Each structure stands twice: as C-alpha cells, then as structure tokens.
Amino acid sequence: QVQLVESGGGLVQAGDSLRLSCAASGRTLSLYVMGWFRQAPGKEREFVGRITWSGGDTLYADSLKGRITISRDNAKNTVYLQMNSLKPEDTAVYYCAGRTGSVGIWNNWGQGTQVTVSS
C-alpha cells in the first residue's frame, strides 16, 4: 500500500505562482508513475499531468502546458506541481495519485489540497 499526502495549497491571487507537494510513503517502489488531478466545484475531476517515477518523463494536459511543471525528488519520495500565472479558473482541489503500471487505473490517491485563486 502507498500513502500519498499533498500539501502547499492555499489562497493566492491571480498571476501568482504556487508549488504543491505530494509525499509518498509505504510501498513506493511499486509506483511507476505519479499524477496530478484537480476537481473544481461542480465539475468532474480532470487530469493535470503526470511524471514517471524513475525516468522523470512528463505529460501535461494541453490546456495547462506552459504554466505548469511536474518534477520529483526520488530521495524524498516527493512529487511537485509548480503552477505559474494562476487564474481564478485554476481554483480546485488538487489531488496526487499513483499508479503501479504504465497503463491502467490510478491505484492510490491523496486526500487533496485546496487551491483558491482570487481575481
């Protein structure tokens, strides 16, 4: 089992930057890829981006390319989501997720961290 804990959310102003962290513990060696998702009020959860645990290969949602960067620190078992030029529409609960395979379902989820962007 893998435990994921997000942190770094908060209230920011439009145009600000924010870095979210996701600390993994437990059977982290089983993880192949880590992802970030978000869910705004009244909307479905959407994919933000992902990074492979070993190679660091990244994939971002088209709508967010250029404003976000996902990185990882293997020594700390932590994945980061750097968000720049934040907009009010970025307001959402941001979730970290882990997957043990290159494809398939996301097996592990964090509890989420709230990001609120004021205009």
Side-chain angles (χ1 to χ4, degrees):
Q1 195 73 318
V2 175
Q3 293 78 44
L4 303 175
V5 179
E6 302 96 333
S7 62
L11 174 63
V12 297
Q13 293 187 334
D16 285 352
S17 296
L18 198 63
R19 188 178 79 160
L20 306 182
S21 300
C22 173
S25 60
R27 297 183 61 188
T28 58
L29 290 179
S30 67
L31 293 173
Y32 178 81
V33 60
M34 298 291 293
W36 286 96
F37 294 77
R38 68 182 184 181
Q39 187 166 20
K43 295 188 177 181
E44 293 187 354
R45 188 173 299 185
E46 66 172 338
F47 174 77
V48 172
R50 63 96 170 124
I51 185 168
T52 58
W53 198 248
S54 60
D57 297 325
T58 55
L59 177 69
Y60 301 124
D62 287 342
S63 61
L64 296 171
K65 282 181 182 177
R67 291 201 298 124
I68 65 168
T69 302
I70 296 176
S71 60
R72 89 271 191 242
D73 185 332
N74 294 60
K76 295 182 178 180
N77 286 335
T78 300
V79 174
Y80 304 99
L81 171 62
Q82 176 71 41
M83 301 185 291
N84 301 320
S85 302
L86 284 162
K87 305 174 183 180
E89 49 264 43
D90 293 318
T91 295
V93 177
Y94 284 74
Y95 297 91
C96 172
R99 197 170 71 201
T100 54
S102 58
V103 295
I105 65 171
W106 294 89
N107 317 76
N108 305 279
W109 289 87
Q111 82 289 347
T113 185
Q114 176 71 47
V115 172
T116 303
V117 184
S118 64
S119 57

